[in-house]
């Protein structure tokens, strides 16, 4: 008997702890093979973070996690892409501030990928990270809960929500001119694309 994966958002944990998994890998294959830019807005507990985690391990080439699934014999496991996974729900923005949390997360991602930043500031570091990583292959960029630092403060601290909105806008503005460096961009959240106001620079 397999366990029901209640609350599990990690594909690795799900596959390594005998959890029930409905094989969606054929759909994922079609998704990542037919397009480059995706925005997914759905309610909480919809499975967005698990989808992001699954795609991350797919592009990292973690074949052992996909054993027995549809995609195991369909995917080119020799051709891996650099993967950047940025989850805005777990960077600590509520305790140290969004700007500080984002910069710390970029520094962490840079260190994980042996990148020493020459630039300073969130947008310039983000741009440098994408450019340098793409020298190893086009980047798979996964941004989970893109809107959390804003919706956490809506109806409570409106000034903080607007401040975070401006910070996120500067981060996401980098994506407009980064198409040549990207293999795939997936952005998830609970808010509609047009409602948050952080993508005015992104078509």
């Amino acid at each position: 008997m397999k366990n029901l994966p209640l609350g599990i958002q990690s594909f690795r944990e799900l596959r390594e702890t005998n959890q029930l998994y409905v094989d969606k890998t054929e759909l994922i294959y079609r998704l990542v093979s037919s397009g480059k830019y995706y925005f997914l807005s759905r309610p909480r507990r919809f499975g967005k973070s698990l989808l992001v985690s699954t795609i991350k391990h797919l592009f990292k080439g973690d074949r052992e996690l996909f054993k027995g699934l549809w995609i195991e014999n369909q995917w080119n496991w020799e051709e891996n892409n650099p993967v950047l996974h940025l989850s805005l729900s777990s960077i600590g923005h509520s305790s140290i501030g969004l700007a500080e949390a984002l910069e710390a997360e970029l520094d962490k991602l840079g260190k994980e990928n042996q990148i020493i930043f020459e630039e300073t500031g969130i947008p310039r570091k983000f741009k440098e990270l994408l450019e340098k990583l793409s020298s190893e292959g086009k980047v798979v960029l996964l941004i989970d809960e893109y809107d959390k630092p804003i919706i956490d403060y809506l109806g409570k601290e409106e000034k903080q929500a607007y401040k975070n909105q401006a910070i996120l806008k500067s981060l996401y503005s980098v994506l407009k001119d980064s198409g040549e460096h990207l293999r795939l961009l997936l952005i998830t959240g609970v808010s509609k694309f047009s409602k948050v106001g952080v993508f005015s620079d992104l078509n």
Side-chain angles (χ1 to χ4, degrees):
M1 291 288 292
K2 289 185 177 292
N3 302 313
L4 290 175
L6 300 177
I8 294 180
Q9 300 178 9
S10 165
F11 184 68
R12 177 177 290 280
E13 180 183 356
L14 183 148
R15 295 292 287 166
E16 291 182 343
T17 56
N18 196 39
Q19 304 292 328
L20 182 67
Y21 177 68
V22 177
D23 189 354
K24 304 184 184 90
T25 57
E26 183 176 359
L27 294 173
I28 291 173
Y29 179 84
R30 286 162 51 191
L31 184 81
V32 302
S33 300
S34 61
K36 180 174 178 177
Y37 300 102
Y38 292 101
F39 175 82
L40 179 63
S41 174
R42 290 293 184 273
R44 296 200 182 283
R45 318 315 308 170
F46 189 84
K48 300 184 298 297
S49 295
L50 179 59
L51 172 65
V52 168
S53 178
T54 305
I55 293 174
K56 177 181 75 172
H57 287 292
L58 182 65
F59 277 101
K60 279 183 170 292
D62 296 328
R63 183 172 186 170
E64 73 280 1
L65 299 180
F66 295 87
K67 187 175 181 181
L69 300 182
W70 180 91
I71 206 168
E72 181 185 9
N73 297 317
Q74 308 296 325
W75 191 253
N76 181 3
W77 298 104
E78 303 301 318
E79 186 180 341
N80 299 337
N81 292 82
V83 179
L84 280 182
H85 179 201
L86 183 60
S87 175
L88 296 190
S89 67
S90 58
I91 61 173
H93 67 273
S94 59
S95 57
I96 64 174
L98 180 58
E100 293 80 1
L102 276 175
E103 189 140 19
E105 187 68 13
L106 290 175
D107 288 340
K108 174 187 169 187
L109 291 171
K111 187 176 181 180
E112 287 175 355
N113 291 280
Q114 293 81 51
I115 289 174
I116 299 174
F117 288 109
E118 298 172 16
E119 298 286 352
T120 58
I122 294 169
R124 291 188 295 275
K125 279 187 174 182
F126 189 34
K127 182 179 180 182
E128 183 180 0
L129 184 60
L130 290 174
E131 289 176 351
K132 288 185 174 179
L133 268 183
S134 67
S135 65
E136 305 169 15
K138 290 198 173 184
V139 179
V140 173
L141 178 57
L142 308 170
I143 302 177
D144 198 17
E145 298 203 49
Y146 84 99
D147 50 355
K148 195 167 193 306
I150 298 174
I151 61 176
D152 277 356
Y153 296 98
L154 290 179
K156 304 172 188 175
E157 301 175 44
E158 296 290 335
K159 286 184 178 180
Q160 188 63 50
Y162 285 119
K163 181 180 177 182
N164 286 354
Q165 180 188 45
I167 294 169
L168 289 178
K169 186 176 179 181
S170 72
L171 175 76
Y172 297 136
S173 66
V174 172
L175 300 177
K176 179 183 177 183
D177 298 317
S178 298
E180 63 182 308
H181 305 302
L182 296 175
R183 161 66 177 82
L184 176 74
L185 170 62
L186 172 62
I187 298 173
T188 78
V190 299
S191 306
K192 291 183 179 180
F193 191 88
S194 60
K195 297 295 184 183
V196 182
V198 293
F199 293 122
S200 61
D201 294 327
L202 184 64
N203 187 333

